[in-house]
């Protein structure tokens, strides 16, 4: 054989040689028992595409996807030694598809894309976006920590592109960023519809020791534990349940911080609403002394309702210090002198139920003394006392 012929044969052999990274096309000649597609190549050799290199679907059965005679395009990822005669190359259709997808990207960093979750791993979610494999770190899955990422497997999610590096086939996305953006838009929409003082219906979304979060249509407002009921509530879960429909009154709106303060008890009749009806002036009641002050004593006459017996209304006898006559826990009979539901004040008298002495001592010919006036001016605001409370019949 001449030197020219040898060079020609060497060139032909070189042209036909398949290298790692080459894209090859061949026909399916068999689907073996290992769930692999055997591909006949133009060189007369064979390559094999395992199921894991055909698709990200771990449960795929190649016999359902391919049949003998089908054409498959794949990339050579390795030379292999096989017991099967003629099988010389490990091929991957999945990696070729990914390469083409990277070459034809039509999104950029900052874009929001649709992603398919193919797997959940310890560090986050493995997804595909238009054929490109990407990753959502666990810290970027949601606004709050997610303990079980498996709940997202095989689901479609929206995520924001955080980083793209085709050279490293690196695609990082954030679902949390999309949620935050949608939440901000929802807040603006909801705040535009609400106003302070308005009563609206909501759904109990979450319960905490300090209160309940109420869903107002995509945005949560907080009912503090003190605003759940007029009765004392130790644990919100004792009186509310998740998913329950409730009416709430809007107490405050802070769009900048996205906070809405709500009240359930403000939508309900308060204990003071019935006081004027059930205990008008002149009514005689029995109550319990709760607190004793220098200016008088507070007596609970209904659950959560306290009235003031001013020092001047304790007895016809002069009382210098209410603590000399009354103590916390004492049961006493009182007469209602005055009721002011709007101010949540009620004035009581023990003296009115006693027989008036024939010669009751009075200062300044029956008029209120300066000492009484000074006592009134210096009294604690919590007394809720009126001039009538202090001076009684002296006025």
């Amino acid at each position: 054989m001449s030197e020219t012929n040898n060079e020609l044969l060497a060139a032909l052999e070189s042209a036909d040689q398949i290298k790692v990274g080459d894209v090859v096309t061949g026909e399916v000649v068999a689907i073996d028992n290992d769930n692999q597609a055997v591909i006949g190549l133009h060189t007369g050799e064979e390559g094999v595409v395992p199921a894991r290199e055909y698709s990200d679907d771990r449960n795929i059965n190649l016999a359902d996807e391919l049949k003998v005679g089908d054409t498959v395009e794949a990339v050579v990822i390795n030379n292999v030694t096989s017991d099967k005669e003629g099988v010389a190359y490990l091929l991957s259709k999945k990696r070729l598809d990914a390469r083409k997808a990277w070459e034809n990207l039509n999104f950029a960093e900052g874009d929001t894309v649709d992603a398919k979750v193919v797997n959940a791993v310890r560090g986050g979610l493995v997804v595909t976006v238009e054929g490109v494999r990407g990753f959502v770190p666990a810290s970027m899955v949601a606004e709050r920590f997610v303990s079980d990422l498996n709940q997202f497997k095989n689901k479609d999610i929206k995520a924001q592109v955080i980083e793209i590096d085709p050279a490293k086939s690196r695609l990082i996305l954030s679902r949390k960023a999309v949620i935050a953006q949608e939440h901000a838009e929802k807040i603006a929409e909801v705040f535009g519809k609400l106003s302070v003082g308005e009563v609206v219906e909501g759904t109990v979304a979450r319960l905490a020791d300090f209160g309940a979060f109420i869903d107002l249509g995509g945005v949560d407002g907080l009912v503090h534990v003190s605003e759940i009921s007029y009765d004392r509530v130790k644990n919100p879960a004792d009186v509310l349940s998740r998913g329950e429909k409730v009416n709430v009154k809007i107490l405050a709106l802070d769009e900048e911080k996205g906070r809405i303060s709500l009240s359930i008890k403000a939508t309900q009749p308060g204990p003071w609403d019935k006081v004027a009806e059930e205990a008008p002036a002149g009514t005689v009641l029995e109550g319990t002394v709760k607190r004793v002050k220098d200016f008088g004593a507070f007596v609970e006459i209904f659950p959560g309702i306290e009235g003031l017996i001013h020092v001047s209304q304790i007895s016809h006898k002069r009382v210098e210090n209410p603590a000399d006559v009354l103590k916390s826990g004492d049961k006493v009979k009182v007469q209602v002198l005055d009721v002011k539901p709007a101010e949540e004040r009620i004035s009581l008298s023990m003296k009115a139920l006693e027989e008036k002495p024939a010669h009751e001592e009075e200062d300044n010919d029956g008029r209120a003394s300066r000492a009484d006036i000074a006592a009134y001016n210096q009294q604690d605001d919590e007394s809720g006392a009126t001039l009538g409370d202090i001076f009684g019949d002296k006025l």
Side-chain angles (χ1 to χ4, degrees), residues 136-146 152 174-177 179:
V136 181
S139 62
M140 297 183 183
V141 171
E143 293 181 302
R144 298 181 181 84
F145 173 72
V146 179
F152 295 100
S174 172
R175 178 175 176 268
K176 181 170 72 173
I179 294 175

Side-chain angles (χ1 to χ4, degrees), residues 120-125 135-141 149:
V121 296
R122 185 175 181 179
L125 302 175
F135 187 67
V136 181
S139 62
M140 297 183 183
V141 171
L149 293 175

Side-chain angles (χ1 to χ4, degrees), residues 21 56 67 80 108 211 229 253 290 300 337 342 348 362 371:
D56 282 320
K67 62 181 183 295
V80 297
S229 174
L253 295 170
K290 290 295 184 180
E300 185 178 58
L337 298 180
L348 306 172
E362 294 182 350

Side-chain angles (χ1 to χ4, degrees), residues 178-192 219 255:
V178 174
I179 294 175
Q181 181 179 351
E182 292 176 347
H183 185 64
E185 294 172 354
K186 201 65 180 179
I187 285 179
E189 178 185 347
V190 172
F191 271 72
V219 175
E255 185 171 358

Side-chain angles (χ1 to χ4, degrees), residues 63-171:
D64 296 333
E65 301 291 325
L66 299 169
K67 62 181 183 295
V68 174
D70 284 351
T71 299
V72 173
E73 187 179 34
V75 62
V76 179
I77 59 176
N78 205 353
N79 294 318
V80 297
T81 301
S82 173
D83 293 336
K84 296 181 181 296
E85 184 179 354
V87 175
Y89 302 101
L90 178 63
L91 310 176
S92 176
K93 174 182 178 296
K94 180 178 72 174
R95 300 190 196 190
L96 179 60
D97 291 343
R99 180 193 294 182
K100 290 180 178 179
W102 276 107
E103 293 171 353
N104 296 287
L105 286 182
N106 60 1
F107 55 82
E109 290 183 6
D111 288 351
T112 297
V113 296
D114 294 317
K116 176 78 171 181
V117 179
V118 296
N119 197 16
V121 296
R122 185 175 181 179
L125 302 175
V126 179
V127 302
T128 58
V129 182
E130 298 180 10
V132 174
R133 193 179 184 89
F135 187 67
V136 181
S139 62
M140 297 183 183
V141 171
E143 293 181 302
R144 298 181 181 84
F145 173 72
V146 179
S147 59
D148 182 16
L149 293 175
N150 287 309
Q151 62 183 290
F152 295 100
K153 285 181 67 173
N154 301 318
K155 290 187 177 180
D156 295 321
I157 63 171
K158 287 188 177 296
Q160 186 180 88
V161 179
I162 302 300
E163 181 183 348
I164 298 178
D165 189 345
K168 296 180 180 179
S169 297
R170 180 180 174 87
L171 175 62

Side-chain angles (χ1 to χ4, degrees), residues 108-395:
E109 290 183 6
D111 288 351
T112 297
V113 296
D114 294 317
K116 176 78 171 181
V117 179
V118 296
N119 197 16
V121 296
R122 185 175 181 179
L125 302 175
V126 179
V127 302
T128 58
V129 182
E130 298 180 10
V132 174
R133 193 179 184 89
F135 187 67
V136 181
S139 62
M140 297 183 183
V141 171
E143 293 181 302
R144 298 181 181 84
F145 173 72
V146 179
S147 59
D148 182 16
L149 293 175
N150 287 309
Q151 62 183 290
F152 295 100
K153 285 181 67 173
N154 301 318
K155 290 187 177 180
D156 295 321
I157 63 171
K158 287 188 177 296
Q160 186 180 88
V161 179
I162 302 300
E163 181 183 348
I164 298 178
D165 189 345
K168 296 180 180 179
S169 297
R170 180 180 174 87
L171 175 62
I172 305 298
L173 306 107
S174 172
R175 178 175 176 268
K176 181 170 72 173
V178 174
I179 294 175
Q181 181 179 351
E182 292 176 347
H183 185 64
E185 294 172 354
K186 201 65 180 179
I187 285 179
E189 178 185 347
V190 172
F191 271 72
K193 298 178 181 178
L194 300 178
S195 58
V196 174
E198 182 181 6
V199 176
V200 296
E201 184 182 68
T203 305
V204 178
R206 304 191 311 280
L207 295 170
D209 293 340
F210 54 84
F213 290 93
I214 310 299
D215 182 0
L216 300 178
V219 175
D220 290 350
L222 174 64
V223 178
H224 189 266
V225 63
S226 63
E227 290 295 332
I228 292 177
S229 174
Y230 286 103
D231 296 329
R232 184 176 179 81
V233 176
K234 292 184 178 180
N235 187 347
D238 293 338
V239 293
L240 294 172
S241 57
R242 188 175 179 181
E244 179 181 353
K245 299 288 185 182
V246 292
N247 288 326
V248 292
K249 184 174 183 179
I250 299 172
L251 301 181
L253 295 170
D254 188 339
E255 185 171 358
E256 184 176 343
K257 295 182 179 179
R259 294 178 181 174
I260 305 174
S261 298
L262 306 171
S263 174
I264 293 176
K265 77 177 185 182
T267 67
Q268 303 168 345
W272 284 92
D273 295 335
K274 294 185 178 181
V275 170
E277 180 182 341
E278 296 181 358
T283 304
V284 176
L285 303 166
E286 183 176 75
T288 303
V289 177
K290 290 295 184 180
R291 290 164 292 148
V292 180
K293 302 289 184 180
D294 292 341
F295 52 82
F298 289 94
V299 178
E300 185 178 58
I301 53 175
F302 296 113
I305 299 293
E306 293 182 5
L308 173 67
I309 305 176
H310 190 264
V311 61
S312 64
Q313 292 296 326
I314 292 176
S315 174
H316 285 289
K317 297 178 181 179
R318 188 173 185 83
V319 176
E320 296 292 342
N321 186 354
D324 294 337
V325 182
L326 299 169
K327 65 180 182 298
S328 180
D330 284 351
K331 299 290 185 181
V332 294
K333 281 193 174 183
V334 294
Q335 185 178 79
V336 178
L337 298 180
D338 184 38
V339 182
K340 295 182 178 179
E343 300 175 16
E344 296 189 356
R345 295 187 177 187
I346 183 167
S347 301
L348 306 172
S349 174
M350 292 171 60
K351 181 172 77 172
L353 298 178
E354 297 177 355
E355 185 177 349
K356 185 177 181 180
H359 300 287
E360 183 178 5
E361 180 181 349
E362 294 182 350
D363 293 327
N364 295 328
D365 298 326
R367 291 174 293 172
S369 69
R370 291 182 181 179
D372 285 337
I373 294 175
Y376 174 76
N377 290 333
Q378 295 175 7
Q379 70 169 304
D380 194 309
D381 287 340
E382 70 174 323
S383 69
T386 64
L387 286 171
D389 297 334
I390 294 176
F391 306 133
D393 52 12
K394 293 181 182 180
L395 292 176

